[in-house]
């Protein structure tokens, strides 16, 4: 899977359609293996994906070119990586049991005077998060409820509106609007990790490292005992 990397010397030479097709085929195989209950094959394919040059390249492109937050630095101060550095970052991406602390910033809440905290990972950690998301997302898509829409690929708010309309347009029904207070801030780490029993151990250790990394506010380090970080790739919320 990594044999393609030897022929690329410049970021602009990468054949994105080919790389996307390679990753899509792997994700499709993961999805089908999960549907069939073949846990062993799911793990094998996930390991293959996170070690592939194609997936690593797409992860780096996403966080350094496509994402709106690409110019926001983590605690290392690195942002807006130029093309000649991106291939090097691809080579550096590796699933491990380590994660850098996040940088805490505050952004205004729309319509209020309050500000909400965001915790920003380093660009390298963001790229690894994207890589892990590519591997886990098709597994979970195979078993998610059909009428769930949050953090789902290819689904938008309008899809949820259409589903609600289809369900209630024939006869009167109750519609309940619920919001869990500080949902992401209070998620239990052990419970979340317990939902990931069937994934490769290295990926689980990496996710645990992200959960426990803590954040830096000024020169002070604050450890994390609960909740998931908001400010990086939404891999932890997608599971």
């Amino acid at each position: 899977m990594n044999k393609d990397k030897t022929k690329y010397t410049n970021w602009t030479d990468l054949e994105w359609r080919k790389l996307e097709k390679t990753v899509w085929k792997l994700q499709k195989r993961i999805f089908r293996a999960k549907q069939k209950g073949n846990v062993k094959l799911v793990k094998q394919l996930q390991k293959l994906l996170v070690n592939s040059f194609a997936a690593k390249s797409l992860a780096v492109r996403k966080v350094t070119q496509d994402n709106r937050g690409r110019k926001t630095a983590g605690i290392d101060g690195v942002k807006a990586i130029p093309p000649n550095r991106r291939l090097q970052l691809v080579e550096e991406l590796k699933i491990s049991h380590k994660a850098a602390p996040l940088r805490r910033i505050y952004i205004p809440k729309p319509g209020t005077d309050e500000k909400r905290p965001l915790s920003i990972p380093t660009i390298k950690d963001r790229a690894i998060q994207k890589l892990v998301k590519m591997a886990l997302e098709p597994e979970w898509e195979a078993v998610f409820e059909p009428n769930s829409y949050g953090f789902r690929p290819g689904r938008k708010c309008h899809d949820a509106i259409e589903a609600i309309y289809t369900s209630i347009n024939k006869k009167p029904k109750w519609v309940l609007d619920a919001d869990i207070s500080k949902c992401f801030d209070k998620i239990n780490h052990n419970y979340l990790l317990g939902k990931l029993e069937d994934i490769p151990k290295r990926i689980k250790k990496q996710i645990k490292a992200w959960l426990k990394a803590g954040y830096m506010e000024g020169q002070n380090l604050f450890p994390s005992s609960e909740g998931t970080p908001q400010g990086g790739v939404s891999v932890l919320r997608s599971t």
Side-chain angles (χ1 to χ4, degrees), residues 102-161:
L102 295 84
R103 183 171 73 93
R104 174 61 60 92
I105 63 173
Y106 293 87
I107 63 173
K109 276 189 174 182
T112 71
D113 294 330
E114 296 182 50
K115 292 187 177 182
R116 70 183 183 97
L118 285 183
S119 298
I120 310 299
T122 63
I123 283 184
K124 184 176 181 179
D125 271 333
R126 271 177 266 174
I128 300 173
Q129 287 175 4
K130 179 61 181 176
L131 185 63
V132 167
K133 184 179 181 182
M134 288 182 195
L136 296 187
E137 199 163 58
E139 175 190 1
W140 283 89
E141 279 295 311
V143 296
F144 267 145
E145 292 288 339
N147 276 337
S148 65
Y149 297 90
F151 303 102
R152 299 285 298 277
R155 297 192 178 206
K156 298 181 180 179
C157 180
H158 286 86
D159 297 312
I161 294 172

Side-chain angles (χ1 to χ4, degrees), residues 9-204:
T9 56
N10 295 302
W11 183 255
T12 53
D13 294 336
L14 268 64
E15 300 169 275
W16 293 113
R17 292 290 295 274
K18 180 180 178 181
L19 298 178
E20 288 168 353
K21 188 175 182 179
T22 297
V23 172
W24 181 80
K25 284 183 176 180
L26 272 176
Q27 289 180 314
K28 190 175 181 180
R29 292 177 65 191
I30 292 170
F31 181 89
R32 288 179 174 174
K34 181 65 175 181
Q35 284 186 319
K36 294 177 181 178
N38 193 337
V39 176
K40 183 177 180 181
L41 181 57
V42 170
K43 286 185 178 181
Q44 290 174 345
L45 293 170
Q46 287 173 331
K47 290 176 183 178
L48 190 61
L49 189 147
V50 298
N51 288 311
S52 72
F53 176 77
K56 290 181 179 181
S57 299
L58 290 173
V60 169
R61 187 184 73 172
K62 186 69 176 179
V63 302
T64 62
Q65 290 182 261
D66 300 342
N67 281 3
R68 288 181 298 175
R70 64 187 180 277
K71 294 183 180 180
T72 304
I75 62 167
D76 58 357
V78 176
K79 59 182 179 180
I81 293 179
N84 61 354
R85 174 74 176 85
R86 291 172 194 155
L87 271 179
Q88 184 180 344
L89 181 57
V90 170
E91 294 292 324
E92 294 172 359
L93 292 193
K94 183 180 180 182
I95 307 298
S96 70
H97 61 280
K98 298 179 180 180
L102 295 84
R103 183 171 73 93
R104 174 61 60 92
I105 63 173
Y106 293 87
I107 63 173
K109 276 189 174 182
T112 71
D113 294 330
E114 296 182 50
K115 292 187 177 182
R116 70 183 183 97
L118 285 183
S119 298
I120 310 299
T122 63
I123 283 184
K124 184 176 181 179
D125 271 333
R126 271 177 266 174
I128 300 173
Q129 287 175 4
K130 179 61 181 176
L131 185 63
V132 167
K133 184 179 181 182
M134 288 182 195
L136 296 187
E137 199 163 58
E139 175 190 1
W140 283 89
E141 279 295 311
V143 296
F144 267 145
E145 292 288 339
N147 276 337
S148 65
Y149 297 90
F151 303 102
R152 299 285 298 277
R155 297 192 178 206
K156 298 181 180 179
C157 180
H158 286 86
D159 297 312
I161 294 172
E162 182 181 0
I164 293 171
Y165 176 79
T166 302
S167 298
I168 68 175
N169 72 337
K170 299 299 182 181
K171 57 183 179 180
K173 290 186 179 181
W174 288 98
V175 177
L176 303 178
D177 181 17
D179 184 23
I180 302 174
S181 178
K182 297 185 178 180
C183 174
F184 297 125
D185 295 334
K186 297 295 183 179
I187 288 176
N188 184 284
H189 288 175
N190 291 333
Y191 176 81
L192 184 60
L193 292 168
K195 303 292 286 185
L196 303 175
E197 283 299 327
D198 292 334
I199 69 173
K201 290 182 179 179
R202 284 176 59 210
I203 295 180
K204 185 174 181 179

Side-chain angles (χ1 to χ4, degrees), residues 199-214:
I199 69 173
K201 290 182 179 179
R202 284 176 59 210
I203 295 180
K204 185 174 181 179
K205 287 181 179 180
Q206 181 67 81
I207 291 175
K208 183 177 181 179
W210 287 327
L211 289 172
K212 302 295 184 182

